Amino acid sequence: MVLLLFDQESGEKISLSYDEIKGKTGVEAEELRRTLQSLACGKVRILQKNPKGRDVANSDRFVVNPEFKSKAYRIKINSIQMKESAKENKETHAKIFQDRQYQIDAAIVRIMKARKTLSHNLLVSELFKQLKFPAKPQDLKKRIESLLDREYLERDDQDATLYKYLA
């Protein structure tokens, strides 16, 4: 959509500022910055940015690069990814942790459903084999305790290290 603004039939060079492009396209600010950065600062430079630099400011002006040539009929423009903020990073890690807890719970229930009775050490070693991510023993212990509280499992009356699956 941004490149269509630079389509010219009269042969004159069209120079547009960031604010003009934003006004004509109606694209969200962060998305537009990323798009313009890809077009003007990436590997394939279809647009020229004035002043030159990596970041896109509100005062920057853009013009079609007259020296741009490509042998290919189609060209691939790689989108530049913005860095994840600390808040987003924290949210992502929290979501991953939550998903992993569900996976651990499901693995424990699967193992115990198949075996009916199992010692703590055998259960933990079987979990390490089944889980596709590195899990800490204390996290596994917390998940086992959670399943005990929710009455999916119970401890054996004679041996406290033995778990029984409750159907």
Side-chain angles (χ1 to χ4, degrees):
M1 187 155 42
V2 172
L3 287 177
L4 290 174
L5 296 175
F6 293 93
D7 190 21
Q8 63 217 25
E9 292 181 23
S10 62
E12 64 190 50
K13 274 189 168 181
I14 298 175
S15 175
L16 297 171
S17 71
Y18 169 81
D19 290 326
E20 291 171 333
I21 295 170
K22 185 178 177 191
K24 289 181 180 180
T25 61
V27 176
E28 178 186 317
E30 284 302 310
E31 182 66 29
L32 183 60
R33 285 186 200 284
R34 202 172 343 174
T35 302
L36 289 171
Q37 208 170 15
S38 298
L39 293 170
C41 306
K43 191 175 181 183
V44 179
R45 296 183 181 196
I46 298 171
L47 298 179
Q48 287 179 333
K49 181 172 131 0
N50 191 8
K52 295 192 183 305
R54 296 289 297 155
D55 296 325
V56 176
N58 291 3
S59 60
D60 290 351
R61 295 199 68 77
F62 297 89
V63 67
V64 174
N65 183 359
E67 291 141 25
F68 174 75
K69 288 188 177 36
S70 177
K71 294 178 186 173
Y73 183 68
R74 284 184 171 178
I75 55 169
K76 175 94 170 129
I77 300 169
N78 294 326
S79 178
I80 294 174
Q81 292 184 341
M82 298 303 228
K83 287 192 170 72
E84 195 175 37
S85 71
K87 181 184 173 202
E88 289 171 332
N89 192 9
K90 197 172 188 178
E91 288 172 1
T92 303
H93 283 292
K95 182 77 171 134
I96 289 170
F97 182 74
Q98 185 70 35
D99 290 344
R100 285 183 175 178
Q101 284 187 328
Y102 294 138
Q103 287 180 346
I104 292 169
D105 287 356
I108 293 169
V109 170
R110 264 195 318 271
I111 293 165
M112 292 304 295
K113 199 173 193 179
R115 304 274 181 89
K116 302 294 181 207
T117 303
L118 205 58
S119 74
H120 177 78
N121 290 339
L122 287 173
L123 177 59
V124 170
S125 67
E126 189 66 32
L127 284 169
F128 280 127
K129 287 180 197 171
Q130 281 196 16
L131 296 174
K132 293 177 174 58
F133 55 88
K136 298 176 188 160
Q138 60 264 34
D139 289 339
L140 298 180
K141 190 168 194 271
K142 285 178 188 172
R143 298 318 308 154
I144 292 169
E145 292 296 329
S146 169
L147 289 171
L148 286 167
D149 291 343
R150 292 185 283 161
E151 296 182 358
Y152 282 89
L153 306 175
E154 71 175 359
R155 291 190 194 277
D156 189 59
D157 296 333
Q158 286 81 29
D159 189 0
T161 64
L162 218 60
Y163 299 116
K164 290 182 185 175
Y165 177 71
L166 300 175

